[in-house]
Amino acid sequence: MAKKVCVIVSDCSACSGLSKEDMLSFKSQLLKDPIISSVIGVRSPCIRSARQELKKLSLEGCDRAIIVMWCPPASQGLGKGRILPSPVDPHLVEIIDLSIVARKNGQSQPGQMTSAVRSRAAKLSLAEPLRERKMKFADPAIAVIGSGDWAIQAADRLAACGHRVKMISSGDVSEKINRNGLEIIADAEPEDIAGYPGNFTIRYTKSGSAGEATAAAVLLVSERIAAEPRIPKSIPVRFIPLEKFSDQADQMSKAKGIVFMDDLRSIDPSAPSVVPSWHTLLEAAKTAAAASLASSVAVVARDVKSTGLLELLWREAADTGVKFIRYDDKSRPRLSKDGKSIQVKDLVLGEVLDLPADTVIAPTVSRPWERIFVEKLFLPSDWDLRARQRGPQRGLAQSTCDGIFMLGYAGYNEPFDIIEPELGSVLVDVISYIRQGFHVARGAVAHIDEGKCSACYTCVRTCPYRAARMNDSWKAEIVPEKCLGCGNCVAVCPSRAIELKNCTDEQIRAQISASLQEVIS
Amino acid sequence: MIDVIIVGGGPAGVGAAEALSKLGLSVAIVDNSPFGGGVPIELSCKGESECTKCHVCMPRDAAERMRSEGAIDAYPMAKVRSVNIIDNNIEMELEIAPRYVRVNKCIDCGKCVAVCPIEGAIIAPPHGAMTRVPYIAKELCAHFTSKKCNLCSDACPTDAIKYRERPRKTKLAARAVILATGQEPVDPSGSLHYGYGVFPNVITSLEAERITSRYGELKRPSDGKRPEKVALIQCAGSRTTKGGVEYCSKFCCKYGIRIARALFDRNPEMNISFIYMDLRTFEPRSEAIKWARRKKNVAISQGVPGYIQGAEGGNLVVRRTSPFDGAIEDEEFELVILNIGGRPRPETKVIAEHFSLSLDEHGFISRGDPNRGIFVAGSCKAPMDIEESYADGKAAAISIISALGVK
Ligand SMILES: Cc1cc2nc3c(=O)[nH]c(=O)nc-3n(C[C@H](O)[C@H](O)[C@H](O)COP(=O)(O)OP(=O)(O)OC[C@H]3O[C@@H](n4cnc5c(N)ncnc54)[C@H](O)[C@@H]3O)c2cc1C
């Protein structure tokens, strides 16, 4: 029976080039089609809102939708990888890009667009939903990649909950944890994650040679380690990275004035803009003032983000004699020409202060290794950004690949004990995934037409997942539980007996062109 | 015997319950309010035109999901009477206050609520409630105040209304307990300089939200007029030694901006002044400031006022020192909204005594006692917003799993 289709339209007039009236007539035309159940307009950024709408739809029991977009980069990005939310069967969602149709001959063509959407809707309404397949985990271990406090905590807790954990860390952490079921692969640099959900292989290099570890789930712990902090050359004064301050505080020679900056970029345009860990910064300023390391200790910041109970630390610091000076982007602090002082207009007092500054302390950050994962694993490219948005309004970073979990920068702007919620929350997801014992795969399954099969064994030899085999009547068959719909067998079959159900040539072509474009750019 | 009892059904309690039941442990939630849900059940979605990520729907949706799956035992209106811990077996005696609607008979048809002539006397469960059974507020219900009205009981097809219900006692036993008793809004009448309670047009953010959701727009309490010029003052009752809490309540910067946006979306003509101390939001570039700068009639300025005075026609004069030249500035507004913070609920103290835990100087239970099976989660531990409380509940669940082992 034909099912109804929902159409999600990105109503951005800038991208579509349609006037408001044209957009309205386009939508109302669509609604006249009996196959189309509803038309939803989404606003920019369209990908994100389209995903939200899809999620809602799947909750309401509508399982097929067409997303209409007007910009090739966005629509191809959406089609690529597993960017669709998992409750929706990706093969029941089509993305159409109408930017070319819309701008044909320099004028809009609502009529043509409507017929394009309608014909797709008619096809989609007949498509069969794919069935779910359970794939058993080969090795029900969890790989934790990282070496900081968070990674240690995560590995420790997972092992304490009775799971087998492989910890791949760039440092040596074996002194810090030791538990049954915990295997530590120390001094290893992760290179790549291969395989598929539930059966990953992590390749790493360890003292020059390559190694491999298998796991059913991977937890990437991205940490904010300032191992080799970048020290800006343009600063003539003594500069100490905030992260190194606690180690150096004891041997520090007396300074005339210490200035803590929230963001070095404000005085040095070549420095990377970072957000400090306010806990560390306040703690450091308090120590500096309490030990009288300088006659003047000041914190120069836009807003002192001492949220929650950190507020009290701020008060304590102020009571020990730390001066807090606030600026805004209209009047940034400036380093004086001789490099001996920082001039800043205090927003509260309204006057320009001249702070003695022969020592500047500011946060620096070294990029951890997460970039390769962003690229190789099709993680959302704004992962980095999302991890940085943590704070009172934190959006937990989520990977788009099942079985891969992520935990953001450690100690980012709050002390560890307050950051803990995020750790726990991710661990719940990891444990419930691993306890299932299998991965639920949905997607295309190759299908063999027995009448055409010549029993040449090519597919059996080709299939990377060993899903093809010969049946009793000497014809090839596909074990659907194992098939991941990669399409290799379809390509090699000399008798053209294999096809991928619900994975049209059009869809494949779109994917190819998307990946080609990636290669080109 | 169940595995875990959760005291408090707010975001933290719901998060913990969801995680525990997902991981196969049996859970009971005890809450002393009629519907549970904590603070978010009183808040409304602030996304007028697009989602502003206030997260109010997050715990509510989770609670609905769990209720429809029957995943947890819920004990609304229950007060903890006594606690007895012997060898990792936690026994709790509960007193369940009457809700005057019998839980096992009610079929959630809504007839009783429709027929009631007094607003608020019988309350239908809101979205995200722990139970779908309505609740009769004894102070308002005419049956109790004048002994005459029987309308709801007559309308009920299953005879579920029982005016003579008595409090009853029950016992629960478990291997671990999570305390998630949460926070309550700070009462700003302690901040005398703001004149809350003195001037009718100085209201709290929660009151503003209630007015808006009731009338569909913001109105002045004194004369019901639509205000054209509104001040939103942040940190009222937080970060102060003048009749409030000393710490930063953490959720209010974002909350205040969301209120400003919701007000603006409803009435783009309104002049809104957003007055703050520090803007503690953590986006890479401050979206809020950008939003405010783009709008002509939204002013955003640093430096909270010294005090508020009454003026003619119910208006208010907000006096503060200018952050730029130190001069004293007076500005007249038609309505002032104080954005209040949160503080631990008074019940938290009682609960901590039951479990012999100590409170810190602000009234938070900063840590539980995992050895005795007591865990703490959510905003009764430290200031937290909804998302963080919800995640903290899950974190407590993980600690329990590693302590008890999974089945
Ligand atoms: C006015 C206001 C607006 C807010 N707006 C936002 C916002 O927009 N976004 C955001 O992220 N956060 C917001 N917050 C913060 C948010 O409400 C809290 O962070 C969150 O509710 C904390 O969840 P919780 O579970 O820890 O506690 P609560 O939500 O307080 O829940 C605690 C529950 O425990 C019950 N309880 C207490 N004591 C007992 C006892 N002894 N026995 C049984 N049950 C008990 C209570 O009845 C309640 O149901 C706001 C807070 C306030 C006050």
Side-chain angles (χ1 to χ4, degrees), chain B residues 7-13 30-33 36-40 43 46 54-56 78 80 180-185 205-206 251 255 258 340-342 345 347 351 377-380 384-387 389:
Chain B
V7 183
V30 174
D31 197 293
N32 59 4
S33 64
V39 177
L43 305 174
K46 278 168 240 38
C54 67
H55 296 297
V56 166
V80 179
T181 52
Q183 62 183 0
E184 59 170 16
S205 42
L206 204 54
F251 61 80
Y255 179 53
R258 281 188 216 110
I340 43 177
R345 290 176 199 258
E347 297 99 310
I351 282 288
S379 59
C380 61
M384 286 185 198
D385 66 352
I386 294 176
E387 198 181 11
S389 311

Side-chain angles (χ1 to χ4, degrees), chain A residues 491-504:
Chain A
V492 296
C493 180
S495 1
R496 297 185 183 269
I498 315 181
E499 64 169 24
L500 279 183
K501 262 198 174 171
N502 295 326
C503 188
T504 59

Side-chain angles (χ1 to χ4, degrees), chain B residues 67-83:
Chain B
R67 195 179 42 73
S68 60
E69 286 167 8
I72 41 160
D73 286 344
Y75 294 86
M77 310 214 54
K79 212 166 155 186
V80 179
R81 279 252 149 247
S82 66
V83 177

Side-chain angles (χ1 to χ4, degrees), chain A residues 43-45 48 52 157 160-163 275-276 278 302-309 311-312 314-315 326-330 345-351 385 388-396 412-414 417-429 431-432 435, chain B residues 19 22-24 49-55 239-241 246-251 254 258 276-285 287 289 293 302-303 322-326 360-362 364 381-385 387-388 391-392 394-395 397-399 401-403 405-407:
Chain A
R43 290 236 214 126
S44 59
R48 207 177 314 149
Q52 268 170 7
R157 297 236 189 147
C161 293
H163 296 285
V275 179
W278 281 100
R302 289 192 190 89
D303 294 289
V304 179
K305 295 189 178 174
S306 51
T307 54
L309 296 179
E311 178 77 8
L312 304 165
W314 177 24
R315 294 226 168 149
R326 288 190 298 209
Y327 64 91
D328 69 0
D329 283 337
K330 275 186 264 170
K345 183 173 170 194
D346 187 333
L347 269 190
V348 181
L349 300 175
E351 56 195 48
L385 188 87
R388 271 202 269 155
Q389 283 180 350
R390 182 168 313 103
Q393 193 54 43
R394 99 180 20 145
L396 293 181
Y412 191 60
N413 40 36
E414 285 161 85
D417 59 321
I418 300 189
I419 283 289
E420 195 179 86
E422 190 169 343
L423 177 73
S425 165
V426 172
L427 292 188
V428 169
D429 295 345
I431 295 180
S432 33
R435 285 191 56 205
Chain B
K22 212 163 151 188
L23 299 175
S49 55
E50 61 183 324
C51 173
T52 52
K53 292 201 206 135
C54 67
H55 296 297
R239 303 179 65 190
T240 169
T241 42
E246 273 184 56
Y247 50 83
C248 154
S249 298
K250 214 174 192 179
F251 61 80
K254 277 276 187 174
R258 281 188 216 110
Y276 66 95
M277 214 189 278
D278 286 283
L279 205 58
R280 292 175 169 175
T281 56
F282 282 89
E283 307 111 342
R285 281 154 281 130
E287 250 174 62
I289 293 190
R293 288 217 173 116
Q302 200 165 26
S322 156
F324 294 104
D325 48 17
D360 75 359
E361 59 198 297
H362 312 288
F364 292 110
K381 191 161 117 185
M384 286 185 198
D385 66 352
E387 198 181 11
E388 198 173 350
D392 198 44
K394 287 181 160 186
I398 285 290
S399 309
I401 302 264
S402 46
V406 216
K407 266 195 260 170

Side-chain angles (χ1 to χ4, degrees), chain A residues 55-78:
Chain A
K55 242 186 200 155
K56 274 191 231 152
L57 282 182
S58 68
L59 291 179
E60 283 163 19
C62 177
D63 60 355
R64 48 204 78 199
I66 290 178
I67 303 175
V68 179
M69 298 208 150
W70 319 94
C71 91
S75 55
Q76 279 164 11
L78 192 63

